[in-house]
Amino acid sequence: RRRCERLMAMVVTVKEFERGLQYSKGRLVRVLEAGRYRVWAFRGQEILKVDMRENALQIPGQEVLTSDNAPVRLNLLVRYRVADPVKATHEVVSYLDALHQTTQLRARELVVARTLDEFLAQRAAFGEELTAAIREAAQRFGVEVVMVAIKDAMLTGELKVAYEAKLTADQRGQAAMVEARHEVAVARARANAARIVAETPGYLAQRRLDVMEKAAAQYGNTFVMLPEWIEGLAARFTDK
């Protein structure tokens, strides 16, 4: 009989990153830490192992409408770990399916509350808000949500083309505004220069001397300054 019982016994190893749920005749007896345990099948015993490591759940291609009826296709990444193996096993049939559905529902609720421009401008805040919402819901079935990241947020169809055209127009408009500001600055500088020349008769002569001095220092040339009356006389003979 003892030999028969030994044949019906099974050794189960619970690893460091796992927890074991020991059942006897269908009832949970205790939660097992890492170690080796003998299970007696003829007594109705069994051990269910639960992985406690952090893992990732990808949710691709979820299409959601914003408050202004713009379709956005979201690719989400959820990093999670099992915090309570009993709840994760007993509260839902599959905690992965529950986490997947919870993420989809919460993402839909948060996107619907925003316009397209608000969503695109607040992607970081959206990720943080979505993480908080899913984390609270997942506690019910024993899962701890570490973070939720938006891998991609894509516009679909004609809306994508229209939005890209809008971005191009905005960039061109900003470039035109910068160019206009530059032209205004140049015009103001010229107007100030004209005012200074009008108010200071010797300003042009001084500027001419400065330019000639720099040219002579750079190229090693010698410049001869003639009186103004000689310049005027030379101009008359040249005209003739």
Side-chain angles (χ1 to χ4, degrees):
R1 181 179 178 181
R2 290 181 179 179
R3 186 175 182 180
C4 182
E5 289 179 355
R6 288 177 184 177
L7 293 175
M8 298 178 66
M10 179 177 60
V11 176
V12 176
T13 300
V14 178
K15 297 180 181 179
E16 187 67 31
F17 54 83
E18 296 175 328
R19 294 296 179 269
L21 303 183
Q22 182 177 357
Y23 294 88
S24 178
K25 298 179 181 180
R27 292 183 177 275
L28 178 66
V29 177
R30 57 174 175 159
V31 178
L32 305 176
E33 300 289 333
R36 290 168 59 87
Y37 301 90
R38 181 166 294 179
V39 179
W40 303 95
F42 74 94
R43 296 178 182 175
Q45 294 181 351
E46 62 175 325
I47 294 177
L48 176 65
K49 294 189 290 186
V50 180
D51 197 322
M52 306 294 288
R53 291 176 293 183
E54 183 176 315
N55 206 341
L57 174 65
Q58 297 193 37
I59 304 177
Q62 181 186 5
E63 189 167 311
V64 186
L65 291 177
T66 61
S67 62
D68 49 354
N69 294 322
V72 180
R73 187 178 295 276
L74 295 179
N75 291 323
L76 303 175
L77 176 68
V78 182
R79 298 206 65 86
Y80 71 93
R81 67 168 61 92
V82 174
D84 188 331
V86 176
K87 285 185 176 181
T89 306
H90 291 189
E91 294 296 330
V92 289
V93 176
S94 169
Y95 65 83
L96 281 179
D97 290 344
L99 182 60
H100 190 284
Q101 295 170 5
T102 299
T103 302
Q104 286 185 318
L105 292 174
R106 293 297 185 272
R108 189 179 303 275
E109 292 172 357
L110 294 178
V111 171
V112 167
R114 291 171 166 82
T115 63
L116 177 60
D117 290 338
E118 290 173 346
F119 171 75
L120 295 177
Q122 303 170 1
R123 282 186 57 174
F126 175 84
E128 294 175 359
E129 191 174 347
L130 182 59
T131 299
I134 299 174
R135 181 176 292 155
E136 182 179 359
Q139 288 177 355
R140 181 181 65 83
F141 47 86
V143 172
E144 176 189 354
V145 175
V146 180
M147 71 159 201
V148 181
I150 304 174
K151 294 183 63 178
D152 295 300
M154 299 176 291
L155 304 179
T156 59
E158 297 179 356
L159 181 61
K160 180 180 180 180
V161 177
Y163 195 79
E164 290 176 350
K166 177 180 179 296
L167 290 179
T168 302
D170 291 343
Q171 292 172 354
R172 290 177 179 174
Q174 292 176 0
M177 290 180 62
V178 171
E179 184 177 357
R181 292 194 188 102
H182 177 69
E183 292 178 354
V184 170
V186 171
R188 287 178 179 174
R190 290 176 177 174
N192 290 334
R195 179 177 54 80
I196 293 174
V197 170
E199 295 176 355
T200 311
Y203 177 76
L204 285 179
Q206 183 62 44
R207 288 291 299 164
R208 186 184 303 171
L209 288 174
D210 293 340
V211 172
M212 295 176 66
E213 181 181 0
K214 292 179 180 179
Q218 183 175 0
Y219 301 107
N221 296 326
T222 301
F223 295 90
V224 178
M225 296 292 297
L226 298 176
E228 292 184 359
W229 65 271
I230 294 180
E231 292 182 356
L233 184 62
R236 290 181 182 181
F237 281 110
T238 303
D239 293 340
K240 292 180 179 181

